[in-house]
């Protein structure tokens, strides 16, 4: 007696012929079905005191603002909590979205179960902060993370925080900060004594000029004078958010973006880790940097995005290089997929493990355009036939893009991309491509 299993494929296999190469895509059957479980994690924290101090610092970050009015503060909420792959991650931004913080409770930091992976967004109100502040070093604390709430219990006391809407500004910030982190490199590692010495040199007040992390022999210091191998820090006063944790940390590692668009400061407490990422300047929020725009130019089939989302859900991590090798995909297309998943807030980045981790957020493809107005404006320019390619050679592209009462000149020459618009003049490409360069690049591949 034989058994027959019938698979239903969403689409047929296809052969795509292009000028440079042919690509064969074989249809697959996926057994990945996302479960709708009410609980993502339930268990005991092994070091509740350290975890509580880290969460209080995270809350301090979320309650901080370096360029917004008190009225605007009230429009934003508190931590994103993700449970999965034996880790619990708490994330948040300052109100201005220029500081990103994350608490990672690693496998050795808890003793519990993960019935299902998932993500929720809650508001840490005063009751939760008070409960965290009163946790001692020897207490038995149980944490639960669910679809609609996060709860902390010890003895007969239990504090519950309900789910709140995820701010749009945070999704935009998550897009940029993860891509910056993926490009960051570890520059320094300091022990407890070096870390405390370093922060003793933190300047008072709110310096407007850049400061630099420098080494003087074996001693690190902050200095207003740049030197070789120094790390540039804008808005250095934001590092004071770390001060309550410094006496408890075993190690500090400092990571910097190659173009110094961000710096990340990671403190280590055994199986608990605290990360603080600073934008280039205190007045610049990660939500407005546009780091993903380059990868969003080329269209990617929605079915690919859905497939990679399921792949990430099943594995709880996403390694673009490994995916490209295993699936025989072009690296540029994988970068485009990474950009799209990041643009929907589905990916975070772990610097120590050097790969993206998965957040289970509502899967909305239309979110890509709605959260990237420059990309939307570029598509509008193309739809209105306002982009004209005037020169196209192997080494140089020139185009005229019609603006309001003026035509902008766009020049693409190797890695150099220039435009005569005000955005490019002001930012020189540091905050992502302007809409005119985006429109020209999109026209070239259409």
């Amino acid at each position: 007696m034989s058994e027959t299993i019938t698979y239903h494929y969403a689409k047929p296999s296809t052969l795509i012929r292009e000028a440079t190469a042919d690509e064969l895509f074989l249809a697959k059957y996926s057994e990945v079905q996302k479960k709708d479980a009410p609980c993502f994690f339930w268990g005991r924290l092994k070091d509740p005191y350290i975890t509580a101090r880290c969460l209080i610092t995270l809350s301090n970050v979320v309650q901080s603002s370096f360029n917004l009015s008190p009225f605007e503060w009230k429009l934003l909420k508190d931590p994103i909590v993700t449970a999965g792959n034996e880790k619990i991650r708490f994330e948040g931004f300052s109100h201005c979205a220029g500081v990103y913080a994350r608490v990672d409770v690693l496998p050795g930091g808890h003793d519990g179960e993960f019935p299902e992976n998932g993500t929720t967004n809650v508001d840490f109100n005063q009751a939760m902060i008070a409960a965290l502040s009163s946790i001692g070093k020897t207490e038995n604390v149980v944490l639960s993370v669910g679809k609609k709430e996060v709860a902390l219990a010890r003895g007969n006391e239990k504090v519950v925080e309900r789910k709140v809407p995820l701010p749009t500004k945070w999704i935009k910030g998550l897009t940029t900060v993860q891509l910056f982190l993926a490009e960051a490199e570890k520059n320094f590692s300091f022990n407890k004594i070096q870390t405390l010495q370093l922060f003793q040199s933190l300047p008072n007040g709110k310096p407007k000029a850049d400061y630099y992390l420098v080494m003087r022999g074996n001693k690190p210091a902050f200095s207003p004078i740049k030197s070789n191998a120094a790390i540039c820090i804008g808005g250095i006063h934001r590092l004071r958010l770390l001060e309550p944790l410094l006496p408890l940390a075993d190690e500090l590692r400092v990571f910097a973006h190659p173009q110094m668009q961000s710096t990340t400061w990671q403190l280590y407490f055994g199986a608990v880790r605290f990360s603080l990422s600073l934008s280039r300047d205190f007045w610049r929020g990660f939500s407005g940097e546009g780091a993903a725009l380059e990868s969003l130019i080329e269209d990617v089939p929605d079915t690919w995005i859905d497939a990679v989302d399921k792949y990430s859900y099943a594995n709880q991590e996403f390694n673009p290089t490994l995916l490209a090798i295993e699936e025989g995909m072009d690296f540029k297309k994988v970068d485009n997929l990474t950009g799209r998943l990041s643009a929907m807030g589905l990916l975070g980045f772990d610097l120590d493990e050097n790969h993206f981790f998965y957040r289970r957020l509502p899967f909305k493809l239309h979110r890509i355009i709605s959260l990237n107005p420059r990309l939307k404006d570029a598509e509008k320019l193309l739809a209105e036939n306002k982009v004209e390619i005037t020169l196209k050679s192997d080494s140089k592209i020139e185009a005229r893009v019609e603006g309001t009462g003026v035509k902008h000149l766009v020049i693409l020459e190797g890695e150099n991309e220039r435009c005569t618009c005000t955005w490019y003049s002001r930012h020189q490409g540091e905050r992502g491509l302007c809409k005119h360069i985006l429109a020209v690049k999109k026209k070239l591949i259409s």
Side-chain angles (χ1 to χ4, degrees), residues 46-273:
K46 288 189 176 181
D47 196 339
Y49 179 79
I50 289 294
T51 304
R53 266 59 200 164
C54 288
L55 291 177
I56 291 170
T57 302
L58 175 63
S59 180
N60 290 338
V61 172
V62 171
Q63 295 178 46
S64 300
S65 177
F66 299 93
N67 68 2
L68 292 184
S69 68
F71 172 76
E72 292 172 302
W73 295 358
K74 298 178 182 179
L75 302 179
L76 303 178
K77 297 295 181 181
D78 269 12
I80 303 166
V81 188
T82 298
N85 201 23
E86 300 299 314
K87 303 178 183 71
I88 312 162
R89 305 183 192 267
F90 299 80
E91 304 171 87
F93 285 93
S94 60
H95 288 298
C96 54
V99 181
Y100 165 76
R102 191 173 78 232
V103 178
D104 295 323
V105 183
L106 305 174
H110 59 76
D111 182 12
E113 299 179 359
F114 293 81
E116 174 61 6
N117 63 71
T119 302
T120 189
N121 187 56
V122 296
D123 184 6
F124 272 19
N125 61 29
Q126 193 54 44
M128 176 62 81
I129 299 302
L132 291 170
S133 300
S134 61
I135 289 176
K137 295 182 179 181
T138 60
E139 289 197 61
N140 185 32
V141 178
V142 174
L143 173 72
S144 63
V145 179
K147 182 179 179 181
K148 297 183 178 181
E149 64 181 37
V150 171
L152 199 69
R154 51 176 186 158
N156 296 324
E157 180 185 355
K158 183 177 182 180
V159 180
V160 178
E161 295 291 1
R162 305 295 179 183
K163 184 177 180 179
V164 294
L166 183 63
T168 299
K169 190 170 187 175
W170 280 29
I171 299 177
K172 294 175 68 176
L174 290 173
T175 302
T176 295
V177 75
Q178 310 310 330
L179 296 180
F180 279 175
L181 287 173
E183 296 180 10
E185 300 173 354
K186 187 177 79 170
N187 294 77
F188 297 104
S189 178
F190 303 123
N191 60 32
K192 182 190 292 285
I193 294 176
Q194 289 175 312
T195 300
L196 292 172
Q197 289 175 335
L198 172 62
F199 275 77
Q200 286 175 357
S201 66
L202 196 64
N204 296 322
K206 300 178 180 179
K208 294 183 179 180
D210 290 336
Y211 265 70
Y212 300 88
L213 171 55
V214 300
M215 293 297 296
R216 294 169 179 164
N218 292 325
K219 184 178 179 180
F222 295 119
S223 171
I225 302 173
K226 185 179 180 180
S227 62
N228 291 334
I231 291 179
C232 181
I233 312 157
I236 193 171
H237 56 284
R238 295 176 291 177
L239 284 178
R240 293 201 177 278
L241 290 164
L242 289 176
E243 287 184 325
L245 295 177
L246 298 179
L248 304 172
D250 300 316
E251 181 185 1
L252 167 67
R253 295 179 191 172
V254 183
F255 303 79
H257 184 269
Q259 283 76 51
M260 300 297 171
Q261 294 304 299
S262 68
T263 58
T264 297
W265 309 72
Q266 286 197 167
L267 294 172
Y268 296 79
F269 314 83
V272 180
R273 184 175 60 204

Side-chain angles (χ1 to χ4, degrees), residues 264-282:
T264 297
W265 309 72
Q266 286 197 167
L267 294 172
Y268 296 79
F269 314 83
V272 180
R273 184 175 60 204
F274 187 92
S275 305
L276 190 82
S277 296
L278 305 181
S279 61
R280 175 61 183 85
D281 297 291
F282 75 91

Side-chain angles (χ1 to χ4, degrees), residues 361-381:
L361 295 176
F363 188 78
K364 298 178 181 178
L365 289 169
H366 70 269
R367 183 181 283 162
I368 296 175
I369 297 297
S370 65
L371 296 181
N372 293 277
R374 268 180 274 168
L375 186 64
K376 185 176 181 179
D377 290 343
E379 294 191 347
K380 184 179 179 181
L381 289 171

